[in-house]
Amino acid sequence: MARSYSIAVIPGDGTGPEVVAEGIKVLKAVAAVEGISLDFTTYDFGGDRYLRTGEVLPDSAADELKKYHAIYLGAIGHPDVKPGILEKGILLRLRFELDQYINLRPVKLYPNVETPLKDKGPEHIDYVVVRENSGGVYTGSGGITMKGTPHEVAVQEMIYSRFQVERCLRYAFEYTRKRNRRKTLALVGKTNVLTYVFDLWERVFHEIGDREYPDIKREYYHVDATCMWMVKNPEWFDVLVTENMFGDIITDLGAITQGGMGIAAGGNINPGGVSMFEPIGGSAPKYTGMNIINPLAAIASAQMMMETLGEDKAASRMEQGIVKVLQRDLKSLAAGRMGLSTTQVGDKVAEYAAS
Ligand code: IPM
Ligand code: MN
């Protein structure tokens, strides 16, 4: 019997719909050859809908989305909407309500892609960041008192429960084992300053590492030093695990070392529920409708979606498609300078992935 999956699609704002269309094109092409049946349902959440209706996200959205096997998201962010409203009201709300407590962000340099790192190539840049995706300062705990006076005080707290820390670390250990490369998991923290939060992270890291993952080598790096090594010695890394905000910051650095937002993919994962896959880059509104934006990050996110659904063969076909188009066709990853249009890139990847 054919494996079949129903996918919720949120194309979102700006160039989101254009890149998502190419991801779906490639998914359909590999599904056909792998005997997978895919069913797509589109939701119009995003800036335009908000400006039209005044509603950011219907309260029923998360429950509705739980019915799908996965969610495929383009981009959220609209130039006419104040920053924060859509990001918090759609993206972060869905991450929280669907309890997608892992943000998985591979940093992999493909052949023929230019990196700003001197003397580094694909053999040096291939690691994965496991970003905790449900806690930390993103919890939204805090406030401002005496606002508007010279005495005003703003507080935003970094909050972690043992439960959150433990489930994230366990995922990271399992992932490192399954990845089966150097079997090295590095905790990225700030034990010298955040002496409460990273005391907890560090203790749990070694506790469960000792007890349950003796085959996985453990390392620790301060987050500031990590930024240095990501530039100078990225080949040291296999899997990195860190808290939410640190993960947010270091994965933008990671993304630029792998060729930038045109290629960087991410997955918001709930290992026991429904996960949501999205390119790391934003909605790039100035390129909307021009058919010049690079769809590879969105295609790579769709590849992660297939991998997470257990469709490894379909996923590796998609990766092959990406690698081939980079080797044979693309002049650059930058919008407008690829030498091909958005839709042509999708056509080529679909063709290579299916052959
Ligand atoms: C990301 C983004 C989001 C985050 C923003 C848009 C809320 O930067 O996915 O990395 O901070 O998580
Ligand atoms: Mn970010």
Side-chain angles (χ1 to χ4, degrees):
M1 213 186 87
R3 281 104 60 218
S4 62
Y5 303 99
S6 44
I7 313 287
V9 183
I10 307 174
D13 300 320
T15 52
E18 290 168 65
V19 296
V20 154
E22 300 316 305
I24 292 176
K25 186 187 283 175
V26 178
L27 282 169
K28 284 183 172 165
V30 296
V33 289
E34 290 295 332
I36 300 168
S37 125
L38 297 176
D39 183 61
F40 298 95
T41 308
T42 302
Y43 290 84
D44 67 350
F45 309 142
D48 286 327
R49 181 181 189 279
Y50 169 64
L51 292 170
R52 209 173 56 240
T53 66
E55 183 180 56
V56 183
L57 191 72
D59 287 336
S60 57
D63 276 339
E64 167 102 19
L65 292 169
K66 280 181 191 158
K67 292 190 275 189
Y68 295 90
H69 291 97
I71 305 164
Y72 187 35
L73 175 79
I76 296 292
H78 195 291
D80 302 334
V81 181
K82 200 175 144 219
I85 294 181
L86 301 170
E87 293 87 339
K88 278 188 153 174
I90 301 178
L91 188 61
L92 296 183
R93 186 164 168 206
L94 287 177
R95 286 178 184 172
F96 283 114
E97 290 191 1
L98 296 169
D99 203 17
Q100 294 161 339
Y101 62 86
I102 299 294
N103 198 323
L104 195 62
R105 298 189 161 182
V107 180
K108 182 169 181 172
L109 179 67
Y110 284 113
N112 234 7
V113 174
E114 210 180 312
T115 174
L117 302 189
K118 189 163 159 269
D119 300 331
K120 298 294 178 190
E123 69 276 27
H124 304 107
I125 304 176
D126 186 359
Y127 56 94
V128 177
V129 178
V130 176
R131 165 184 173 190
E132 202 289 327
N133 210 31
S134 71
V137 295
Y138 282 76
T139 310
S141 175
I144 302 194
T145 48
M146 295 172 280
K147 190 166 179 173
T149 78
H151 300 285
E152 63 185 329
V153 176
V155 178
Q156 202 127 22
E157 288 156 319
M158 185 180 283
I159 297 188
Y160 270 105
S161 67
R162 173 177 273 265
F163 173 79
Q164 286 174 318
V165 169
E166 194 169 325
R167 67 181 182 174
C168 175
L169 288 170
R170 188 162 274 120
Y171 179 92
F173 276 115
E174 294 287 343
Y175 187 89
T176 309
R177 189 180 266 167
K178 179 161 176 245
R179 179 171 153 94
N180 199 19
R181 296 278 177 83
R182 293 184 22 238
K183 293 223 178 176
T184 305
L185 178 63
L187 173 64
V188 173
K190 191 73 186 173
T191 50
N192 50 351
V193 175
L194 301 179
T195 48
Y196 308 130
V197 165
F198 280 102
D199 176 75
L200 178 60
W201 275 85
E202 201 177 30
R203 275 186 293 116
V204 180
F205 182 57
H206 293 302
E207 256 174 53
I208 65 174
D210 271 338
R211 208 170 52 218
E212 294 169 48
Y213 302 97
D215 54 320
I216 306 297
K217 188 168 166 250
R218 272 167 275 153
E219 291 177 345
Y220 171 81
Y221 299 98
H222 289 323
V223 63
D224 46 354
T226 304
C227 292
M228 227 162 53
W229 306 132
M230 283 170 71
V231 171
K232 190 159 183 298
N233 298 103
E235 64 279 4
W236 285 357
F237 299 133
D238 181 14
V239 182
L240 303 179
V241 61
T242 193
E243 72 86 33
N244 206 345
M245 175 63 89
F246 288 177
D248 176 46
I249 297 168
I250 69 171
T251 53
D252 267 29
L253 174 57
I256 203 69
T257 67
Q258 71 179 122
M261 292 306 175
I263 189 86
N268 301 280
I269 313 259
N270 175 342
V274 54
S275 301
M276 179 165 75
F277 300 86
E278 52 168 340
I280 295 188
S283 58
K286 66 178 178 190
Y287 299 127
T288 306
M290 297 168 77
N291 198 18
I292 59 169
I293 192 82
N294 187 341
L296 288 180
I299 297 171
S301 311
Q303 174 203 325
M304 277 180 88
M305 178 162 81
M306 284 292 108
E307 215 170 277
T308 309
L309 290 171
E311 295 294 345
D312 289 343
K313 272 166 78 184
S316 81
R317 279 183 174 278
M318 294 177 78
E319 182 166 37
Q320 278 319 302
I322 293 170
V323 169
K324 273 195 190 152
V325 86
L326 288 167
Q327 278 171 335
R328 297 184 185 176
D329 307 291
L330 284 202
K331 293 203 175 73
S332 155
L333 293 189
R337 280 186 272 137
M338 297 190 291
L340 292 177
S341 67
T342 306
T343 45
Q344 284 171 329
V345 175
D347 289 341
K348 292 268 184 204
V349 178
E351 179 195 321
Y352 299 145
S355 67

